[in-house]
Amino acid sequence: MRRPHVLSEAFRTILCIAAHPDDIEFTIAGSVARWTGEGRTVVFCLVTTGGAGTNEHTPSGDGLIPRRERELHDAARILGVKDVVLLGYQDGVVEPTLGLRRDLTRVIRRHRPDVVVCSDPTVRWYGNEYLNHPDHRAVASAALDAVFPSAETPGIFAELLAEGLPPHKVKEAFVSGAEPADTWIDIGDTLELKCAALKAHASQVGTGEWVEPLLREWAVRDGKRAGVRAAEAYRRMVLWRSE
Ligand SMILES: [Zn+2]
């Protein structure tokens, strides 16, 4: 039987990079709440403003960007996250450019995380009903390229050295939504916080009656793979070993 993974005691700072203001809450927020509860520092980096997130709850885009920013900060507070970095890219049209990779490299060098969490840039679709959003793929692709080789190589984006940002080696990358997964984080104690954090995005989920059943269904499915009640699944890349 597989067992859930426990992050190394030595890893104190975790950087989560995502495209849209609610992506983290849909996917990895149970792990985030667990890690902050263990006394670690978690930093969120959101690439877009979420300005294209109109739906039946928020039919008009007027005032949507500041509203989504407030919701994001509320969700972060629920999850114990104090640091939120917003890059301000336009929602819906993100590409994995060198400019985006440079911006993410800057965030990594500034916050110097042991672990970076992002989604899987190689997944074109999930099942038969969801085509993975192009912003998700673009951001994940640039994020992994920033983790390696850009963040640790002084000769890449040398202008960052002039900004006072020396190279930094990220020790592990956790890729969520990867198929197949190989690592599971137990979120039995934090699934409720994950649901509350997603519900904070009221412009996207409305009153969110469906939030708890849906997130629970996913957590139970992934938990079964690791022999626990509830889990979130990742592919874990070990980029550095202490011994
Ligand atoms: Zn998204």
Side-chain angles (χ1 to χ4, degrees):
M1 173 55 98
R2 291 194 190 89
R3 297 200 161 280
H5 178 76
V6 177
L7 204 60
S8 163
E9 239 341 278
F11 294 165
R12 306 313 301 167
T13 304
I14 298 133
L15 171 66
C16 304
I17 298 172
H20 307 123
D22 56 356
D23 290 347
I24 287 172
E25 288 71 21
F26 267 107
T27 53
I28 61 168
S31 306
V32 168
R34 182 187 171 110
W35 292 330
T36 60
E38 291 168 349
R40 308 178 206 258
T41 298
V42 178
V43 179
F44 283 176
C45 174
L46 282 308
V47 170
T48 80
T49 56
T54 50
N55 57 30
E56 74 268 29
H57 309 296
T58 319
S60 151
D62 293 345
L64 181 58
I65 291 173
R67 180 171 174 196
R68 293 206 69 179
E69 203 173 308
R70 280 196 302 278
E71 292 172 348
L72 168 64
H73 281 104
D74 288 345
R77 203 171 304 117
I78 290 167
L79 298 171
V81 173
K82 296 184 192 78
D83 262 333
V84 178
V85 180
L86 302 169
L87 296 185
Y89 281 63
Q90 191 186 340
D91 187 358
V93 291
V94 181
E95 290 194 274
T97 59
L98 282 177
L100 176 56
R101 199 213 294 184
R102 183 190 298 109
D103 285 344
L104 293 173
T105 301
R106 182 183 287 110
V107 174
I108 291 171
R109 290 202 190 170
R110 191 169 283 150
H111 291 273
R112 311 189 82 70
D114 302 295
V115 177
V116 168
V117 189
C118 64
S119 68
D120 185 338
T122 70
V123 176
R124 194 67 183 75
W125 49 68
Y126 289 97
N128 296 97
E129 293 178 355
Y130 179 64
L131 290 171
N132 194 13
H133 195 297
D135 289 356
H136 297 167
R137 288 183 281 125
V139 167
S141 186
L144 290 176
D145 290 347
V147 165
F148 178 87
S150 308
E152 68 183 61
T153 307
I156 301 178
F157 305 133
E159 61 272 34
L160 296 180
L161 298 176
E163 293 180 23
L165 296 171
H168 173 70
K169 175 80 185 167
V170 174
K171 299 182 182 78
E172 297 192 2
F174 276 57
V175 179
S176 75
E179 292 179 344
D182 60 15
T183 297
W184 289 266
I185 299 292
D186 184 346
I187 63 161
D189 293 335
T190 54
L191 177 57
E192 276 180 38
L193 286 170
K194 179 180 188 177
C195 296
L198 182 52
K199 283 184 172 177
H201 293 274
S203 72
Q204 304 304 299
V205 305
T207 50
E209 292 87 359
W210 50 270
V211 162
E212 204 263 333
L214 179 69
L215 295 189
R216 184 169 296 280
E217 182 190 323
W218 291 349
V220 168
R221 176 198 66 197
D222 291 335
K224 280 201 181 106
R225 311 279 307 278
V228 293
R229 231 163 9 97
E232 287 166 344
Y234 302 89
R235 178 177 179 86
R236 174 173 161 243
M237 300 296 298
V238 179
L239 310 172
W240 174 89
R241 289 187 193 277
S242 54
E243 64 275 5

